[in-house]
């Protein structure tokens, strides 16, 4: 057998209260693209962090080119030719795009930073991903998806032998994800090995030669992609504990929901020009649009996070113009942001505190926290969302990415809103947990909430929405309802592939 590029042998890793990896073996050949699959908390990120030198194993050995190596720090990984895009974004918002792409390795000339070269190279690295931005721009102004692309450009430009992509497409829409997949395949053809972590099954089939499935910190199986069906993969990663079970979509006669928030000609800089729509109680409403169509801006204006520059909103018959997040919340409007690390949650605080953070009132009496009530509420959230944790009091930052996301949603649901705005709520969430979240959205709507759902994955709308609006060119340009919500229809309407805009 040809010697693999990397070989991890007998890797184990425990954190207080959790065993993240148990005796895992993992080998990868040159030019091989391996998809790494598993439920939230299965140990995927931990495994690749060990390979990147970010975490150290308790036990086990790593061989590169057949030689045992000690990866004690991220720099060791980079020196060994391993480039990583970590699950949580690590761009520095204050720095420019170019400075971020070449973070830690700015090109120099005669002892000084060679700015023109850095800008040129950054431009080329981004162009490869179909991103045409001025490399001098600060990253702070960019959307989460654009930041993710910059992070990817950074890893690609390192010319590594092994590229690790931990959920690289989680905030990208179809087109950007396609571009990335193309680039990954090209790199593999040139001999680069790639580890690709993703919860999107269709993507795995397009990009990977082989799959490794993990469950509860264990290696379950490794096989060529062509040899396993989706059904088999799902069974292996869920461990046969969860059945198929789709989400029950309400069978709607149009017009059965009552309008709660009416928005007319809303203008929200820079992308939303004139959006008119109605948000109705009891309904899950999807908002579809390509990257940069203004989906997030629209939600933010409703949530009081961004000022609208024109147009009007009417909430339950009254003029509504939230000047702050607080004002929107006082009116029962709650939003979960796409970037959970930035705005959604506090990583240093406990999981329990995060869950009740927006609903202290419901677990206190006379201004004093009722510990028993809090425990009960926290336990209920953990159960209904299926959050995998060691202890409710542990820091949120210790949870796996998908489990952090569930906490962010739990926090919003606990706030008992009238209107729930969810910006990419299933980002980084595994297939089983996605169904749970869809079900929670359906339940919330059945309880009379208005649920507004933004996703970059069009297929998701078909699973859960009663109605979908298309945001294009700054306006709502289309609407689809009930059984007419189909992937092809929505894809066409958002990109305008057919017909003229
Ligand atoms: N720094 C840490 N401290 C404590 N526990 C941790 C830490 N990092 C990871 N864990 C735990 O280790 C387990 C595996 O986490 P890991 O992040 O590897 O999962 P994952 O497969 O990447 O999941 P996801 O799909 O949600 O990203 C989880 O139970 C997680 O809570
Ligand atoms: Mg992870």
């Amino acid at each position: 057998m040809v010697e693999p590029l990397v070989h991890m042998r007998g890797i184990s890793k425990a954190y207080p209260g959790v065993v993240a990896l148990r005796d895992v073996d993992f080998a990868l050949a040159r030019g091989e693209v391996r998809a790494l699959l598993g439920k939230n908390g299965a140990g995927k990120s931990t495994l690749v962090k060990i390979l990147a030198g970010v975490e150290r194993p308790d036990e086990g050995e790593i061989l590169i080119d057949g030689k045992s190596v000690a990866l004690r720090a991220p720099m060791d990984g980079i020196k060994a030719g391993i480039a990583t895009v970590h699950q949580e974004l690590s761009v520095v918002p204050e720095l420019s795009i170019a400075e971020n792409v070449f973070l830690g390795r700015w090109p120099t000339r005669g002892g000084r930073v060679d700015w023109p070269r850095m800008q040129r190279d950054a431009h080329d690295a981004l162009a490869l991903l179909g991103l045409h931005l001025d490399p001098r721009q600060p990253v702070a102004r960019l959307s989460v998806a654009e930041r993710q692309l910059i992070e990817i450009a950074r890893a690609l430009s390192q010319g590594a032998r092994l590229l690790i992509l931990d959920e690289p497409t989680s905030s990208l829409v179809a087109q950007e994800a396609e571009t990335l997949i193309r680039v990954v395949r090209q790199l593999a053809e040139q001999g680069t090995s790639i580890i690709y972590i993703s919860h999107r099954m269709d993507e795995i089939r397009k990009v990977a030669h082989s799959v490794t499935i993990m469950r509860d910190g264990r290696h379950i199986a490794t096989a060529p992609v062509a040899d396993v069906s989706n059904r088999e993969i799902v069974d292996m990663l869920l461990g046969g504990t969860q059945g198929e079970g789709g989400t029950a979509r309400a069978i709607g006669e149009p017009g059965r929901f009552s309008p709660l928030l009416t928005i007319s000609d809303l203008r929200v800089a820079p992308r939303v020009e004139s959006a008119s729509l109605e948000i109705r109680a009891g309904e899950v409403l999807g908002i579809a649009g390509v990257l940069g169509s203004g989906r997030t801006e629209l939600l933010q204006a409703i949530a009081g996070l961004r000022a609208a520059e024109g147009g009007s909103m009417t909430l339950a018959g009254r003029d509504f113009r939230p000047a702050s997040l607080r004002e929107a919340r006082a009116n029962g409007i709650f939003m979960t942001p796409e970037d959970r690390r930035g705005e959604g949650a506090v990583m240093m605080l406990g999981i329990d505190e995060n869950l009740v953070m927006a609903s202290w009132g419901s677990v206190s009496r006379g201004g004093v926290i009722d510990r028993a009530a809090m425990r009960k509420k926290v336990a209920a959230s953990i159960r209904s969302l299926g959050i995998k944790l060691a202890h409710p009091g542990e820091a949120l930052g210790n949870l796996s990415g998908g489990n952090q996301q569930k906490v962010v949603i739990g926090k919003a649901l606990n706030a008992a809103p009238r209107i729930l705005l969810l910006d990419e709520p299933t980002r980084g969430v595994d297939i089983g947990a996605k169904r749970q979240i869809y079900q929670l959205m359906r339940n919330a709507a059945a309880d009379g909430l208005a649920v507004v759902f933004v996703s970059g994955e069009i297929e998701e709308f078909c699973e859960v929405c009663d109605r979908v609006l298309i945001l294009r060119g700054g306006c709502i340009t289309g609407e689809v309802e009930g059984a007419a919500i189909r992937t092809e229809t929505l894809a066409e309407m958002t990109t305008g592939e057919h017909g003229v805009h």
Side-chain angles (χ1 to χ4, degrees):
M1 196 191 124
V2 214
E3 193 165 69
L5 175 69
V6 291
H7 195 168
M8 301 176 84
R9 281 210 297 230
I11 304 287
S12 294
K13 171 84 185 172
Y15 292 105
V18 225
V19 180
L21 297 173
R22 299 167 205 260
D23 194 20
V24 173
D25 284 324
F26 183 91
L28 189 68
R30 283 178 193 76
E32 180 178 1
V33 183
R34 172 76 54 82
L36 188 53
L37 305 178
K39 276 173 49 168
N40 295 134
K44 306 179 293 295
S45 294
T46 307
L47 188 70
V48 296
K49 277 182 191 160
I50 288 173
L51 196 48
V54 175
E55 293 275 359
R56 294 174 67 179
D58 299 335
E59 273 171 67
E61 186 183 27
I62 300 170
L63 305 157
I64 297 182
D65 289 327
K67 284 193 235 32
S68 180
V69 290
L71 303 168
R72 296 200 182 83
M75 222 40 208
D76 295 339
I78 293 169
K79 282 194 196 126
I82 301 170
T84 315
V85 175
H86 289 290
Q87 186 170 14
E88 304 300 336
L89 297 179
S90 66
V91 284
V92 186
E94 294 77 22
L95 294 182
S96 71
I97 292 176
E99 287 163 329
N100 268 288
V101 169
F102 293 99
L103 204 66
R105 50 193 180 101
W106 294 354
T108 53
R109 218 175 103 174
R112 291 168 176 235
V113 176
D114 186 349
W115 296 107
R117 179 165 152 221
M118 189 155 103
Q119 273 153 26
R120 226 174 24 245
D121 291 354
H123 178 272
D124 294 348
L126 295 174
L128 193 66
L129 292 166
L131 200 60
H132 299 281
L133 293 169
D134 181 350
R136 289 166 302 186
Q137 249 190 82
V139 161
R141 291 211 205 116
L142 305 181
S143 71
V144 173
E146 286 164 337
R147 291 179 193 201
Q148 201 172 30
L149 287 167
I150 286 174
E151 197 117 356
I152 294 166
R154 179 201 289 164
L156 293 179
S157 68
Q158 288 176 23
R161 293 198 293 162
L162 169 63
L163 178 65
I164 299 173
L165 300 168
D166 193 350
E167 301 195 26
T169 56
S170 58
S171 62
L172 304 184
V173 299
Q175 278 158 304
E176 286 80 23
E178 287 290 337
T179 308
L180 177 66
I181 286 168
R182 221 171 36 241
V183 176
V184 166
R185 295 183 68 133
Q186 269 167 21
L187 286 171
E189 270 160 34
Q190 292 157 16
T192 310
S193 305
I194 290 143
I195 301 177
Y196 195 96
I197 302 180
S198 170
H199 294 291
R200 299 184 182 178
M201 204 69 88
D202 54 334
E203 215 170 80
I204 285 150
R205 295 222 171 259
K206 282 185 211 150
V207 77
H209 303 114
S210 53
V211 286
T212 288
I213 292 145
M214 296 184 62
R215 190 171 73 235
D216 294 332
R218 287 195 179 84
H219 173 272
I220 300 295
T222 295
V225 174
D227 291 359
V228 278
S229 69
N230 282 1
R231 179 76 227 203
E232 285 167 322
I233 292 175
V234 172
D235 278 352
M236 281 191 274
L237 61 87
L238 297 182
T241 48
Q242 273 158 303
E244 184 67 15
T247 318
R249 178 169 10 178
I251 329 125
E253 328 81 65
R256 103 197 121 101
F257 306 112
S258 50
L260 189 54
L261 181 70
T262 308
I263 298 173
S264 310
D265 302 322
L266 201 71
R267 201 178 134 76
V268 192
R271 284 152 175 166
V272 180
E273 276 160 25
S274 176
S276 300
L277 61 143
E278 206 173 69
I279 293 173
R280 302 165 188 163
E283 177 188 60
V284 178
L285 173 68
I287 297 180
V290 296
L291 177 61
S293 58
R295 300 168 302 180
T296 295
E297 283 92 336
L298 179 60
L299 293 199
Q300 286 178 336
I302 304 171
L305 284 164
R306 218 178 247 268
E309 305 192 328
S312 63
M313 293 194 265
T314 315
L315 179 66
R318 292 208 331 269
D319 192 40
F320 179 62
R321 200 172 280 274
S324 65
L325 184 70
R326 186 179 294 253
E327 191 182 334
R329 285 192 182 169
N331 282 281
I333 298 176
F334 207 98
M335 172 167 173
T336 68
E338 64 182 323
D339 177 12
R340 57 179 172 260
R341 265 190 123 71
E343 309 143 27
V346 186
M347 295 297 154
M348 277 164 357
L349 288 183
I351 295 157
D352 49 3
E353 291 162 302
N354 271 285
L355 279 168
V356 296
M357 192 181 280
S359 50
W360 283 120
S362 69
V363 292
S364 4
R365 232 165 273 166
V368 181
I369 297 168
D370 177 345
R371 290 278 159 197
M374 175 165 156
R375 265 200 304 278
K376 210 167 135 200
K377 188 151 196 162
V378 166
S381 297
I382 291 171
R383 203 173 334 106
S384 71
L385 290 152
I387 299 168
K388 189 189 168 194
L389 44 61
H391 184 268
E394 80 177 302
L396 180 65
N398 288 351
L399 288 188
S400 75
N403 281 296
Q404 289 176 11
Q405 185 62 39
K406 293 186 206 170
V407 172
V408 171
I409 294 171
K411 167 186 160 185
L413 285 171
N414 283 340
R418 276 201 288 177
I419 299 180
L420 182 59
L421 308 168
L422 302 167
D423 196 359
E424 301 277 4
T426 55
R427 186 176 164 207
V429 160
D430 70 51
I431 317 168
K434 260 186 185 173
R435 285 195 207 120
Q436 276 173 318
I437 292 176
Y438 297 151
Q439 196 57 57
L440 285 166
M441 287 165 68
R442 291 277 13 134
N443 293 350
D447 287 344
L449 265 74
V451 180
V452 182
F453 173 50
V454 162
S455 171
E457 281 178 79
I458 279 177
E459 304 76 38
E460 293 205 298
F461 294 118
C462 312
E463 298 273 345
V464 75
C465 291
D466 297 297
R467 190 162 61 102
V468 180
L469 299 175
I470 313 297
L471 183 59
R472 251 193 93 201
C475 304
I476 300 293
T477 56
E479 173 169 343
V480 200
E481 207 156 352
I485 304 173
R486 297 204 343 268
T487 310
E488 311 79 62
T489 318
L490 294 176
E492 251 177 58
M493 292 174 86
T494 47
T495 59
E497 226 70 295
H498 285 247
V500 275
H501 171 54

